[in-house]
């Protein structure tokens, strides 16, 4: 076939380029003289094929013209076999680069990689900075992590904060103009139409015109409705309606040790709240300025901080109910000097103050409760208060008491000074019945006295 031979089912090779002959009998010798200068020719069965000869006399690798074999099975498999040629450096083909193989990056790739690297580095730096500034792993966490707010921080209605929040909108500051300047005190709203309770000494000596400053900072003019110097109580009315009145408590139901709050404007510091406890009950007080009326009341003693300017403000219990009117304090300074809080403050019981307030609003003046007897200037050495005189047909005389009797107890309260009897009697409303223990000579006796109102 001129240089192309096809194997026919086998692939044998002999040294020199000839394949090994198949085993079997030979049918004859090949004809002679069939070779040409170009080489080529047919092969006979049983004889070695004669392939074309190259210039070097080497046999052609295509040694079998099997396709021209008339006895070849056309369905037998065939394969083309090419022998490996000796390596010749001069004949090496030109190397071809693989387009899929990794190569040297170009300028665009270098710029793109640099940009992405810079962005990633900036993001990482920002993240680390945020973590450091916001308490990340590199900074200590300050304080313990809190869960639900503690009970005290929730400001329940019965807490001190809850009580203050309830009462403060009803507490006011009162400024009264007078010839000597402006006096200032506190007060609290007792009716929605503008009635306000305060101390008599807050408005005493004034022109009758006052200014009321409310909890929210607003103000309104007010006029004096009435006052009672001996009980140290007064009522003014602001020209404003829709106010929020306080809730009254029961001062007779207090016990020593009960928590209380004092609310007012001490030293012009409006809306001030101080806390304390009830230190004592029925502490008889005699107070008043030189040349002025003498005031008597059986006070609620407390250790809540009370100073000048608290006068007339409310004393409230743990439920936010007013149980007293802050009125006076005890001090260690000499007369004429400015007194300050030392933990001894006194309030008028609200049961007494409420009764007098109703009298003032209803009639313009207050009734004074009396027992119908006069007492001496000093107490008795052995205890008690001696009656110097007894009014005929008065409460004491009606109960069988006589001049010279020594009253030892009034409604269970021991008496040591004349002030005790006057202050305790004025605590009760006219018509109240009180138990009196007294001594006549060496005999102790008991009587029930129905107190009355003074005719004034």
């Amino acid at each position: 076939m001129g240089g192309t031979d096809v194997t026919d089912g086998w692939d044998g090779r002999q040294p020199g380029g000839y394949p090994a002959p198949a085993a079997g009998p030979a049918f004859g010798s090949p004809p002679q003289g069939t070779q040409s200068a170009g080489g080529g020719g047919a092969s006979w069965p049983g004889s070695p094929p004669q392939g074309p000869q190259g210039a070097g006399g080497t046999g052609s690798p295509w040694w079998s013209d099997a396709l021209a074999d008339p006895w070849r099975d056309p369905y037998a498999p065939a394969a083309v076999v090419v022998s490996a040629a000796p390596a010749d450096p001069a004949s090496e083909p030109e190397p071809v680069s693989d387009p899929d193989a990794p190569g040297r990056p170009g300028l665009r790739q270098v710029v793109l990689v640099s940009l992405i690297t810079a962005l990633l580095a900036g993001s990482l730096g920002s993240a680390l900075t945020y973590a450091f500034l916001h308490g990340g792993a590199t900074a200590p966490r300050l304080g313990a992590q809190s869960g639900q707010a503690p009970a005290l921080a929730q400001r329940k209605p019965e807490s001190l904060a809850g009580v203050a929040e309830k009462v403060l909108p009803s507490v006011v500051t009162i400024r009264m103009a007078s010839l000597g300047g402006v006096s200032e005190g506190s007060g609290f709203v007792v009716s929605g139409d503008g009635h306000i309770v305060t101390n008599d000494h807050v408005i005493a000596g004034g022109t009758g015109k006052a200014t009321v400053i409310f909890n929210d900072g607003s103000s309104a003019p007010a006029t004096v409705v009435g006052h009672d110097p001996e009980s140290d109580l007064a009522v003014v009315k602001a020209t404003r309606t829709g106010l929020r009145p306080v809730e009254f408590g029961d001062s007779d139901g207090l016990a020593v040790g009960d928590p209380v709050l004092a609310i007012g404007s001490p030293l012009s510091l409006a809306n001030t709240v101080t806390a304390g406890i009830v230190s004592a009950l029925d502490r008889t007080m005699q107070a008043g300025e030189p040349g002025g009326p003498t005031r008597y009341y059986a006070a609620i003693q407390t250790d809540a901080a009370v100073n000048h300017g608290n006068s007339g403000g409310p004393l409230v219990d743990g439920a936010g109910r007013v149980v007293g009117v802050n009125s006076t304090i005890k001090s260690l300074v000499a007369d004429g000097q400015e007194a300050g809080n030392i933990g001894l403050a006194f309030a008028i019981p609200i049961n007494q103050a409420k009764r007098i307030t109703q009298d003032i609003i209803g009639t313009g003046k207050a009734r004074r409760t009396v027992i119908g007897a006069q007492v001496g200037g000093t107490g008795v050495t052995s205890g008690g208060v001696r009656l110097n005189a007894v009014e005929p047909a008065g409460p004491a005389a009606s109960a069988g008491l006589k001049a010279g009797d020594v009253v030892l107890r009034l409604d269970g309260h021991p008496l040591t000074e004349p002030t005790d009897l006057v202050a305790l009697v004025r605590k009760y409303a006219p018509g109240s019945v009180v138990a009196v223990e007294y001594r006549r000579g060496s005999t102790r006796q008991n009587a029930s006295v129905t107190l009355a109102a003074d005719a004034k």
Side-chain angles (χ1 to χ4, degrees):
M1 290 182 59
T4 300
D5 295 340
V6 181
T7 61
D8 186 12
W10 57 280
D11 184 13
R13 299 280 177 164
Q14 287 184 344
Y18 294 102
F27 293 104
S29 300
Q32 301 296 322
T34 59
Q35 293 185 353
S36 65
S43 60
W44 294 90
S47 62
Q50 302 296 321
Q53 300 294 321
T58 305
S60 172
W62 308 102
W63 55 271
S64 173
D65 191 9
L67 293 179
D69 186 354
W71 295 284
R72 178 181 180 273
D73 183 358
Y75 297 104
V80 176
V81 178
V82 180
S83 60
D88 185 3
S91 63
E92 287 289 334
E94 179 180 358
V96 179
S97 62
D98 185 358
D100 295 331
R104 184 176 183 180
L107 179 61
R108 179 179 299 178
Q109 291 174 323
V110 172
V111 173
L112 182 60
V113 170
S114 300
L115 179 60
I116 294 176
T117 303
L119 290 176
L120 291 176
S123 300
L124 180 60
S126 300
L128 292 176
T129 302
Y130 179 86
F132 177 78
L133 294 178
H134 292 77
T138 59
R141 183 180 297 275
L142 303 180
Q145 185 174 2
S146 62
Q148 185 179 4
L152 289 178
Q154 293 177 5
R155 297 178 179 85
K156 295 182 179 180
E158 64 271 19
S159 68
L160 295 181
V163 171
E165 183 180 8
K166 174 183 177 181
V167 181
L168 274 171
S170 303
V171 181
V172 302
T173 300
I174 299 175
R175 291 177 180 168
M176 174 63 71
S178 64
L179 296 178
V182 177
S183 63
E184 185 174 280
S186 305
F188 54 94
V189 178
V190 294
S191 69
D193 59 354
H195 287 100
I196 296 170
V197 171
T198 186
N199 280 141
D200 172 73
H201 70 260
V202 171
I203 58 93
T207 60
K209 300 293 183 181
T211 300
V212 174
I213 304 172
F214 297 94
N215 174 257
D216 60 0
S218 63
S219 62
T223 57
V224 177
V225 176
H227 61 103
D228 181 33
E230 291 188 3
S231 65
D232 198 15
L233 291 169
V235 178
V236 300
K237 186 176 183 181
T239 58
R240 180 176 295 186
T241 59
L243 300 179
R244 178 178 173 180
V246 298
E247 180 182 348
F248 290 107
D250 180 11
S251 53
D252 290 336
L254 289 175
V256 174
D258 282 347
V260 287
L261 295 179
I263 306 177
S265 303
L267 305 178
S268 299
L269 300 173
N271 306 322
T272 296
V273 179
T274 55
I277 62 170
V278 174
S279 302
L281 295 169
D282 295 322
R283 185 74 77 187
T284 55
M285 300 296 298
Q286 178 181 348
E289 293 76 22
T294 302
R295 304 181 174 103
Y296 299 94
Y297 48 87
I300 302 168
Q301 180 182 332
T302 175
D303 67 346
V306 173
N307 291 279
H308 288 293
N310 272 116
S311 295
L315 182 73
V316 301
D317 63 11
R321 303 171 302 177
V322 177
V323 294
V325 182
N326 296 312
S327 300
T328 188
I329 61 175
K330 286 286 188 180
S331 179
L332 299 176
V333 301
D335 292 339
Q337 294 181 339
E338 190 74 15
N341 168 65
I342 59 171
L344 295 174
F346 304 90
I348 302 170
I350 197 60
N351 291 1
Q352 179 181 352
K354 182 179 178 181
R355 171 173 52 84
I356 294 175
T357 298
Q358 290 172 334
D359 287 346
I360 292 175
I361 294 175
T363 65
K365 61 181 181 179
R367 296 177 296 166
R368 183 175 60 184
T369 306
V370 296
I371 195 172
Q374 295 178 359
V375 295
T378 60
V380 179
T381 304
S382 58
V385 176
R386 188 179 302 276
L387 300 181
N388 289 343
V390 175
E391 297 179 1
S398 300
L401 277 74
K402 298 179 180 181
D405 289 343
V406 177
V407 180
L408 303 175
R409 293 178 179 271
L410 178 73
D411 206 23
H413 300 290
L415 308 178
T416 57
E417 296 292 336
T419 303
D420 298 339
L421 180 60
V422 176
L424 286 170
V425 166
R426 292 188 180 179
K427 170 186 175 181
Y428 297 95
S432 300
V433 178
V434 295
V436 174
E437 181 183 348
Y438 65 97
R439 185 178 70 244
R440 181 177 292 169
S442 60
T443 304
R444 287 177 177 261
Q445 301 184 41
N446 294 291
S448 295
V449 179
T450 302
L451 303 176
D454 195 349
K456 72 167 186 159

